[in-house]
Amino acid sequence: MTNQLLAAKAITAKALAYAPYSKFNVGAALLAEDGTVYTGCNIESAAFSPTCCAERTALVKAVSEGVRVFKAIAVTGGRDGGDYCYPCGVCRQMLYEFGGDNLQVIVAKSEEDFRIHPLSELLPYGFGAKDLEG
């Protein structure tokens, strides 16, 4: 799967976002090790704290189907274009759990305009299972 195709799937998922309060639509496309892509969009709640980000929606869909190892995630979002949309801290931590330092995070404005970062760059010194070994 190319980075462009993964970004395109995130853009398609963004169109399904439910963000009536913030108007900040986000889509994500998570690439599993076996090549399967799981998409997600943000889903807001008027109470805000139960809101689920697109990245976690995709991750929860995949994990609930037994998938535990991922290679990349593409994220796109914002209000009418704008800048690159990066995963929030909670999403970075959840992605670290299943992707580790080397998970490729693709933040896309479009299929042609994107940046790629290893998760370790976005979450240096990530906390994971290794920190709980004792």
Side-chain angles (χ1 to χ4, degrees):
M1 165 96 22
T2 68
N3 294 328
Q4 290 84 2
L5 286 173
L6 203 58
K9 289 185 178 290
I11 291 165
T12 298
K14 178 182 161 187
L16 300 173
Y18 176 76
Y21 310 107
S22 71
K23 309 282 190 262
F24 196 95
N25 295 350
V26 181
L30 180 65
L31 177 62
E33 189 174 53
D34 69 0
T36 304
V37 176
Y38 296 87
T39 59
C41 62
N42 58 320
I43 305 166
E44 291 183 347
S45 167
F48 286 114
S49 61
T51 294
C52 190
C53 297
E55 300 90 329
R56 282 184 281 141
T57 299
L59 183 65
V60 168
K61 284 170 62 175
V63 172
S64 72
E65 293 184 23
V67 180
R68 302 284 192 271
V69 181
F70 305 96
K71 297 181 352 182
I73 186 166
V75 182
T76 187
R79 294 185 188 117
D80 300 324
D83 206 355
Y84 299 101
C85 181
Y86 285 85
C88 75
V90 173
C91 288
R92 292 176 195 201
Q93 180 60 46
M94 289 291 293
L95 291 167
Y96 185 80
E97 182 77 19
F98 296 96
D101 287 326
N102 296 321
L103 180 78
Q104 295 298 296
V105 179
I106 303 158
V107 290
K109 288 184 182 181
S110 70
E111 293 174 42
E112 296 80 27
D113 186 359
F114 57 86
R115 295 177 179 169
I116 304 171
H117 304 274
L119 185 57
S120 62
E121 189 177 297
L122 303 180
L123 185 69
Y125 311 105
F127 183 86
K130 69 183 179 331
D131 298 297
L132 298 174
E133 296 172 355

